Amino acid sequence: MLADAPSDSLRPRIVILISGSGSNMVAIADAVRNGDIDADIAAVVCNKPNAAGVQKAKDRDINTQVINHQEFASREDFDLALMQAIDQEEPDLVVLAGFMRILTPAFVQHYEGRMLNIHPSLLPKYQGLNTHQRALDAGDSEHGVTVHFVTEELDGGPNVIQALVPIHDGDDADSLQHRVHQQEHIIYPIAVKWFVEGRLRMQNKLALLDGKHLPMTGLALQTS
Ligand code: GAR
């Protein structure tokens, strides 16, 4: 719970999972703090003890837990511990924000329809890693980032929103990643806001906004 946010048990509860720098978590936490997102961040959970995002969450007085995946014998055991920690917080929404673990089918099924992920490509293009370099290597003129519901298919659930980022002459993976990251911090809070307001949901593996099916790409946000 944010220290300066009023406690209201009726507000939707969000658990955010991170593995790294936590900048998307911060963007969502800022949107909660300034009232753009009317919800409580019940917890931030990280699988890496030294991830920079852990301190950022603590600095914001958010309930922060580390569950080190290396301390578990199997992926199933880790996911079970993670699930127990999450469920203790009774979240309405689970937000994967740079959570770099492949999740077991049991975990994904448990949160289906109430778990979002952000992936740095225009899904279905470039599932997996090194997306910026792959877009450059392919000679694409456009790259971007997608927020999608999580289903059992890795980076494969229905898209909610995409930000399109043009590729400039002279771009390298770092410059492209930097511009994509800036867009992540815009579109992820939008998607979370839609969800906690009850406007966004998943039905029959399709994303709906205000009761209408979203296009397969998700809602597209064009940037310059
Ligand atoms: C973000 O760029 C996010 O899109 C990516 O990890 C980064 C986390 O940054 N996620 C994935 O690649 C998931 N497949 P952050 O820790 O600063 O939010």
Side-chain angles (χ1 to χ4, degrees):
M1 178 91 42
L2 290 171
D4 54 353
S7 169
D8 180 347
S9 61
L10 295 176
R11 292 212 300 197
R13 294 170 63 76
I14 303 170
V15 169
I16 304 179
L17 307 188
I18 63 169
S19 300
S21 78
S23 68
N24 280 288
M25 176 274 294
V26 167
I28 293 164
D30 286 350
V32 167
R33 187 187 291 256
N34 71 25
D36 274 354
I37 296 175
D38 191 13
D40 288 325
I41 299 181
V44 167
V45 184
C46 183
N47 65 308
K48 291 194 171 176
N50 298 321
V54 171
Q55 193 55 48
K56 290 179 191 168
K58 286 182 179 167
D59 288 346
R60 286 163 176 78
D61 291 328
I62 298 171
N63 168 23
T64 306
Q65 299 177 45
V66 173
I67 303 177
N68 185 349
H69 66 275
Q70 291 182 324
E71 292 173 1
F72 293 84
S74 69
R75 195 176 289 283
E76 285 72 20
D77 288 353
F78 170 70
D79 277 11
L80 201 61
L82 188 59
M83 212 186 289
Q84 281 166 356
I86 295 169
D87 286 351
Q88 242 172 17
E89 303 298 338
E90 302 186 349
D92 299 284
L93 175 66
V94 176
V95 171
L96 306 183
F99 188 65
M100 304 305 277
R101 296 281 308 165
I102 293 174
L103 298 163
T104 55
F107 184 96
V108 173
Q109 280 160 16
H110 186 65
Y111 298 108
E112 200 164 273
R114 52 187 179 120
M115 183 156 64
L116 295 172
N117 182 43
I118 191 157
H119 181 76
S121 76
L122 297 175
L123 288 172
K125 267 186 148 180
Y126 309 129
Q127 297 162 342
L129 299 173
N130 301 321
T131 57
H132 311 295
Q133 192 58 53
R134 286 159 69 201
L136 289 167
D137 291 348
D140 292 355
S141 59
E142 199 167 54
H143 185 43
V145 54
T146 306
V147 175
H148 64 96
F149 278 104
V150 179
T151 60
E152 281 179 53
E153 191 193 339
L154 181 68
D155 300 326
N159 289 349
V160 173
I161 185 168
Q162 291 188 323
L164 281 58
V165 176
I167 295 180
H168 299 152
D169 287 347
D171 258 335
D172 59 17
D174 284 346
S175 62
L176 194 51
Q177 178 183 28
H178 179 69
R179 292 206 309 286
V180 168
H181 226 163
Q182 289 174 326
Q183 296 308 313
E184 298 189 16
H185 304 154
I186 296 170
I187 67 168
Y188 217 173
I190 292 174
V192 169
K193 179 179 169 69
W194 285 342
F195 189 92
V196 300
E197 288 177 350
R199 298 179 58 194
L200 174 68
R201 64 194 167 94
M202 187 176 95
Q203 194 179 51
N204 301 326
K205 310 262 183 210
L206 295 170
L208 288 97
L209 182 66
D210 298 331
K212 294 197 185 105
H213 287 129
L214 283 164
M216 295 307 276
T217 51
L219 213 82
L221 202 76
Q222 190 83 44
T223 70
S224 54

